[in-house]
Amino acid sequence: MSKRQNVKGNSPYEPVVGYSRAVRVGNTVHVAGTTATGEDGKIVGKGDAYAQAIQCFQNVEKALHEAGANFRDVVRTRMYVTDISRWEAVGRAHGQVFRDIRPAATMVEVSRLVDPDMVVEIEVEAVVGEATTRKLPKKRY
């Protein structure tokens, strides 16, 4: 049985709700929905979807590193935005991080997030190991 590693983040909601920023079991890392919470516990980039997405990715990256992973190991992202008309700002931030990695990605509009100042929340899944960074041979059909 694989050992479980819980990673703590900087959200004030973690101890109240009872969740971890990330959980690693075996070579799989699940990073919880991550918002633009700064080190001080306050939302960064109020009203700015791009700035919030960048802060989300900084928080995700920190959690991945603590779990022994990095962005190259990410195989799936999910982005929740409170206004889908801001998709390009969030997509631009996603592209800066994942342009060459190309995980499976989803972006959906939600009616609101837990704090009215939050406009984006991002979660990722990663699989750590050689298979995620090694190039596979092309199949011939």
Side-chain angles (χ1 to χ4, degrees):
M1 186 164 154
S2 296
K3 183 179 138 190
R4 176 188 178 113
Q5 174 189 357
N6 289 351
V7 175
K8 183 184 179 316
N10 58 357
S11 170
Y13 299 106
E14 290 175 33
V16 175
V17 177
Y19 72 96
S20 297
R21 171 62 37 226
V23 175
R24 178 175 178 163
V25 177
N27 67 341
T28 304
V29 180
H30 301 274
V31 180
T34 302
T35 59
T37 307
E39 290 300 320
D40 60 0
K42 295 185 171 140
I43 300 304
V44 172
K46 290 182 183 178
D48 184 335
Y50 174 78
Q52 286 199 17
I54 291 297
Q55 183 65 45
C56 291
F57 286 124
Q58 289 172 350
N59 293 345
V60 164
E61 184 176 38
K62 183 177 178 187
L64 286 169
H65 286 175
E66 289 186 37
N70 62 58
F71 282 137
R72 292 206 61 75
D73 297 313
V74 173
V75 297
R76 179 104 169 96
T77 64
R78 291 179 186 89
M79 295 161 278
Y80 306 96
V81 296
T82 58
D83 180 355
I84 201 67
S85 71
R86 298 180 183 195
W87 76 268
E88 289 180 271
V90 177
R92 187 174 39 150
H94 188 276
Q96 286 177 302
V97 174
F98 294 111
R99 181 168 284 114
D100 296 326
I101 301 165
R102 303 279 179 114
T106 301
M107 184 187 303
V108 296
E109 182 180 66
V110 295
S111 62
R112 63 182 169 219
L113 297 169
V114 72
D115 181 319
D117 289 328
M118 297 173 180
V119 298
V120 62
E121 183 169 323
I122 300 170
E123 64 182 51
V124 308
E125 296 170 9
V127 179
V128 181
E130 183 182 341
T132 60
T133 55
R134 175 173 49 99
K135 287 192 177 188
L136 298 174
K138 290 186 178 184
K139 286 187 176 183
R140 295 181 188 213
Y141 294 102

